[in-house]
Amino acid sequence: MEGSDDDDGVPQLSSHALAALQEFYAEQQQQETLKLGPEYDKFSVGSVEEDWQLSQFWYSDETALSLAKEVIEVCGENGRIACISAPSIYQKVRGLARESLHVQLLEYDQRFAIYGDDFVFYDYNEPLKLPESLEQSSFDIVIADPPYLSEECLRNTAQTIKYLSRGKIILCTGAIMEDLAAQILGLKICKFIPKHTRSLANEFRCYSNYELTLDRLA
């Protein structure tokens, strides 16, 4: 970190670093204030802030809404949706259909336990360590966004996807994972290109084992 030492040897932040830090704390305070207001929506994307240490990068509002509509259309009014490491999709699904659908969020970040019974703690390092309530082949569609662009992460997450899915799958991950997505899960790259609230260094794509409605509209 850029800085300088004073006479007592205590590091001092540069003016730019101090301004950036103050801005960060101001944003944090604003978020906490909003959570106390009557219009706060815990299902809105960004209601739980990104944690970069957990490789969290939320989808743009438009992308999250588009993918949520896609999975809802696929499973129907009484369908079952599993969102693996994809909290912003879960949030949009619940925002659109708060009671009518069965939706589970499998996620490592315990902050999402605010969603009650919809939340299931999930560690991709233990892909089949799941509660008994998540039965095999019990979800009409599984949408997953593995947290890391590594073969190990994708292979482990794929075990969970295969266990839960009774049919349709959507995978959101880097373009560099295309061959592995085809090899491990039999998925093809989609026309629809997901976007995030922040720019990512790696190109991001969707993969599926069926033709997305989003692709037909593209």
Side-chain angles (χ1 to χ4, degrees), residues 92-107:
K92 281 298 182 185
V93 169
R94 268 289 174 246
L96 292 171
R98 300 217 169 168
E99 302 296 336
S100 61
L101 291 172
H102 182 93
V103 190
Q104 296 282 176
L105 172 62
L106 286 73
E107 170 60 48

Side-chain angles (χ1 to χ4, degrees), residues 36-158:
L36 299 175
E39 296 182 359
Y40 173 66
D41 182 3
K42 70 177 182 178
F43 293 111
S44 64
V45 175
S47 59
V48 176
E49 296 173 21
E50 296 169 335
D51 185 339
W52 295 352
Q53 292 182 327
L54 296 178
S55 190
Q56 291 176 341
F57 302 95
W58 300 158
Y59 294 117
S60 69
D61 202 66
E62 181 180 1
T63 289
L65 182 61
S66 295
L67 289 171
K69 288 180 177 179
E70 176 74 32
V71 297
I72 290 173
E73 180 173 337
V74 164
C75 71
E77 292 183 0
N78 300 310
R80 293 172 58 86
I81 302 168
C83 301
I84 302 176
S85 305
S88 55
I89 305 303
Y90 163 83
Q91 290 167 328
K92 281 298 182 185
V93 169
R94 268 289 174 246
L96 292 171
R98 300 217 169 168
E99 302 296 336
S100 61
L101 291 172
H102 182 93
V103 190
Q104 296 282 176
L105 172 62
L106 286 73
E107 170 60 48
Y108 184 82
D109 189 343
Q110 296 275 11
R111 292 179 299 168
F112 290 100
I114 61 171
Y115 298 129
D117 292 339
D118 285 0
F119 172 80
V120 174
F121 175 76
Y122 174 72
D123 184 346
Y124 77 85
N125 292 299
E126 298 180 289
L128 297 180
K129 187 177 181 180
L130 303 170
E132 292 182 359
S133 58
L134 298 188
E135 298 178 354
Q136 187 171 4
S137 304
S138 59
F139 287 88
D140 299 294
I141 187 164
V142 177
I143 182 164
D145 183 347
Y148 301 104
L149 298 180
S150 70
E151 181 172 344
E152 177 194 27
C153 185
L154 181 55
R155 286 190 180 278
N156 286 3
T157 303

Side-chain angles (χ1 to χ4, degrees), residues 149-150 173-181 202-205 207:
L149 298 180
S150 70
T173 188
I176 62 173
M177 309 300 284
E178 180 177 359
D179 290 343
L180 276 174
N202 296 290
E203 183 184 356
F204 215 77
R205 297 301 299 263
Y207 307 86

